[in-house]
Amino acid sequence: MLLHLVSIVEQGLLTGHCPVSNFYEIMSMSALIIVTAFLFVHWRYKMDSFSVFLFPLVFVMTMIATMGRPVAAWSSPVLRNAWLTTHIVLVLLGYAALLLTAVSAVMYLIQERELKRKPPRQSFYRLPPLGTLDELISRAMAAGFVFITLATIAGSTWAFIEFGTSWISDPRISISFVTWGIYLAMICLRVTAGWRGRKAAIMAITALGCFAITWVTHNGLLRHLSQ
């Protein structure tokens, strides 16, 4: 919120008027007001889960607002390559965290199934406790969401500077945002609805499948396989 406020003040000083004169400026100001209102509600009522619903809205509004003052070109090829490399590294970190989540989920489902056997097989005693696996799923899921969100922001910024607004109609971009939305829904259900245990495990495996599809589309593997 503070960084956003600074940017709005600087924009107002640069343009010589309050930055609410066009659609993009209004979106930016609205996003700032929503975040400020949320912080007040959080301070007053301690509603942590409220942010899960507001975050996607503020994320989209702020991204749209940045398109009002596009960057025409990169300042240097080094910055361009470094930005793209950062995006790729963040994606890989997010995928690694999600893979760890999915593996933990599979182990959770296996152990849950073994608990129903009388007596359980010997392999059951080599698996981590259900509580440990559930905690690992939570931590890995949260870390993966942070990495994937940062990767989405970095990738969108890079594409916007590189291609302008034409990248928005790219199907690969649409799939990426849909996948990010599925990940957000998974986090939302876990935080607000309390989905844990078997439901969280199945949800983590489903999310990994969605990200696998996204990876295939971005790397053109379907085209190579069809050839």
Side-chain angles (χ1 to χ4, degrees):
M1 185 200 72
L2 292 176
L3 293 175
H4 195 165
L5 177 62
V6 170
S7 70
I8 288 180
V9 171
E10 288 186 342
Q11 185 175 351
L13 294 175
L14 180 65
T15 58
H17 64 268
C18 182
V20 289
S21 59
N22 57 51
F23 172 75
Y24 300 103
E25 293 178 352
I26 290 175
M27 291 292 286
S28 179
M29 183 67 74
S30 298
L32 176 64
I33 292 173
I34 291 173
V35 172
T36 305
F38 161 73
L39 290 178
F40 174 78
V41 172
H42 181 270
W43 169 77
R44 181 66 177 81
Y45 300 101
K46 307 299 181 184
M47 297 175 60
D48 294 336
S49 59
F50 202 52
S51 61
V52 179
F53 297 95
L54 289 181
F55 174 75
L57 176 63
V58 173
F59 176 79
V60 173
M61 292 175 67
T62 307
M63 179 174 291
I64 293 175
T66 60
M67 296 180 181
R69 301 178 66 86
V71 179
W74 295 98
S75 59
S76 69
V78 175
L79 178 61
R80 175 185 180 275
N81 295 334
W83 198 278
L84 182 59
T85 301
T86 301
H87 164 68
I88 295 174
V89 170
L90 288 171
V91 170
L92 294 178
L93 289 173
Y95 280 14
L98 187 59
L99 181 61
L100 182 61
T101 304
V103 171
S104 302
V106 171
M107 294 176 66
Y108 187 100
L109 294 176
I110 293 174
Q111 185 170 0
E112 185 185 54
R113 184 177 180 180
E114 288 296 321
L115 282 173
K116 298 177 181 178
R117 296 175 61 94
K118 300 296 183 181
R121 288 177 290 192
Q122 189 64 30
S123 59
F124 167 79
Y125 299 100
R126 298 181 180 180
L127 296 173
L130 288 176
T132 302
L133 289 173
D134 190 62
E135 182 180 359
L136 181 58
I137 291 173
S138 295
R139 294 182 181 275
M141 187 185 299
F145 181 70
V146 172
F147 288 132
I148 292 298
T149 300
L150 292 176
T152 301
I153 296 173
S156 301
T157 304
W158 187 91
F160 186 59
I161 298 175
E162 188 77 7
F163 306 111
T165 57
S166 61
W167 62 274
I168 299 176
S169 59
D170 192 328
R172 295 175 299 177
I173 302 299
S174 301
I175 293 175
S176 298
F177 276 102
V178 169
T179 305
W180 177 81
I182 293 173
Y183 207 150
L184 176 64
M186 182 172 64
I187 297 292
C188 180
L189 289 172
R190 189 169 181 85
V191 173
T192 60
W195 278 26
R196 294 185 178 276
R198 183 179 182 83
K199 290 182 179 179
I202 295 176
M203 195 163 46
I205 297 173
T206 303
L208 180 64
C210 294
F211 275 94
I213 295 174
T214 305
W215 178 268
V216 168
T217 56
H218 274 266
N219 287 275
L221 297 180
L222 290 178
R223 178 171 53 83
H224 292 300
L225 290 175
S226 62
Q227 293 176 352

